[in-house]
Every structure is written in C-alpha cells, then in structure tokens.
C-alpha cells in the first residue's frame, strides 16, 4: 500500500449557508467548485486551504443530526496547524466563534478547539521548538 496523504474530508451540513460562511469567510478556505446535484437534492462544494483541496461540503435532505457531545464513536475531530495560536483564536472570537482556552502540552504542542455550525470539533495546533 502506498498512501501519500489525506485527499479530502467530507462534511455533511444541516445549514449550507452557515457552513459555507464558516469554512469560506471565517476560516478563509477557497471555493473550488459548487454543484447542485438535482437527482440527490444535494449541494456538493469543494473547498481548498492554501491551494490544496481539503473539504467537501455536502447537504442532503433529512440527514440525521450527529452527536458531538457527549463524544460518540467514530471521527472525533479535524485538526489544522497554525503559526500563531493566540492570534488565530482571537481572530475567530472576533468573528463570533466560541473557542476553548489554549492548552499547552509537555511536547511543545499547544491547541484549542472550536466547532463548526453543526457542532463538529475543529482543533487548532501550534508546535513550538523545545
């Protein structure tokens, strides 16, 4: 097996406009394509981060709500790397995104979490030289 990298992450959202706003306008992802698939009554939007395809945002009619808290089995969260953790958290908070306090680990890694409009956790990580 020759796995090279993660190709993309698929997210099914309840409110397309709110989720598109979060990923595009708040997180700064670029819309690569938007497609309405009439046969599935579904939107499929591809988003990139720094030019790399990363997220597929979907809508489906009558999708059940996923449990994020308490944590359920399955995918726990997504994580992204940032250079300036405090500045990133402050910018998200200015944009109305609730963020957890920054945690510092013994290995030089620091992180905090926020959630997308559907309550899916997103971790922001900064690694510092020890």
């Amino acid at each position: 097996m020759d796995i090279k990298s993660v190709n993309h992450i698929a997210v099914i959202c309840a409110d397309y406009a709110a989720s598109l706003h979060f990923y595009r306008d708040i997180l700064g992802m670029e819309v690569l394509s938007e497609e309405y698939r009439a046969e599935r009554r579904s939107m499929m939007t591809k988003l990139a981060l720094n030019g790399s395809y990363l997220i597929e945002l979907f809508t489906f009619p009558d999708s059940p709500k996923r449990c994020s808290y308490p944590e359920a089995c399955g995918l726990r969260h997504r994580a992204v790397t940032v250079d300036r953790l405090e500045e990133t958290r402050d910018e998200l908070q200015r944009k109305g995104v609730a963020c957890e306090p920054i945690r510092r680990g013994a290995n030089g890694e620091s992180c905090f979490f926020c959630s997308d409009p559907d309550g899916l956790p997103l971790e922001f990580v900064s690694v510092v030289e020890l």
Side-chain angles (χ1 to χ4, degrees):
M1 194 176 321
D2 188 22
I3 297 173
K4 303 275 188 224
S5 65
V6 173
N7 184 269
H8 68 275
I9 299 165
V11 175
I12 299 172
C13 61
D15 182 334
Y16 179 71
S19 291
L20 182 61
H21 171 71
F22 179 79
Y23 288 101
R24 182 191 59 203
D25 303 328
I26 293 177
L27 296 184
M29 293 185 178
E30 172 191 4
V31 174
L32 299 177
S33 66
E34 277 184 295
E35 176 185 355
Y36 181 73
R37 302 173 311 165
E39 72 283 358
R40 299 184 81 182
R41 299 184 341 228
S42 168
M43 285 296 297
M44 181 179 78
T45 301
K46 294 182 179 183
L47 297 151
L49 183 62
N50 298 321
S52 295
Y53 170 46
L54 182 64
I55 299 272
E56 278 185 357
L57 191 59
F58 289 96
T59 61
F60 292 106
D62 305 318
S63 290
K65 193 166 179 75
R66 178 167 292 140
C67 176
S68 290
Y69 299 99
E71 293 182 278
C73 291
L75 181 65
R76 184 172 188 210
H77 65 268
R78 293 123 339 127
V80 295
T81 303
V82 297
D83 288 328
R84 294 173 302 282
L85 200 61
E86 290 85 1
E87 289 177 26
T88 301
R89 184 209 49 215
D90 293 348
E91 181 179 345
L92 287 168
Q93 289 177 329
R94 280 193 303 275
K95 291 179 177 180
V97 177
C99 299
E100 293 181 6
I102 292 174
R103 304 175 196 165
R104 307 230 184 262
N107 63 354
E109 185 176 271
S110 299
C111 68
F112 71 88
F113 285 86
C114 73
S115 296
D116 76 1
D118 289 298
L120 299 174
L122 181 61
E123 179 182 17
F124 291 81
V125 178
S126 178
V127 179
V128 295
E129 298 282 330
L130 291 177

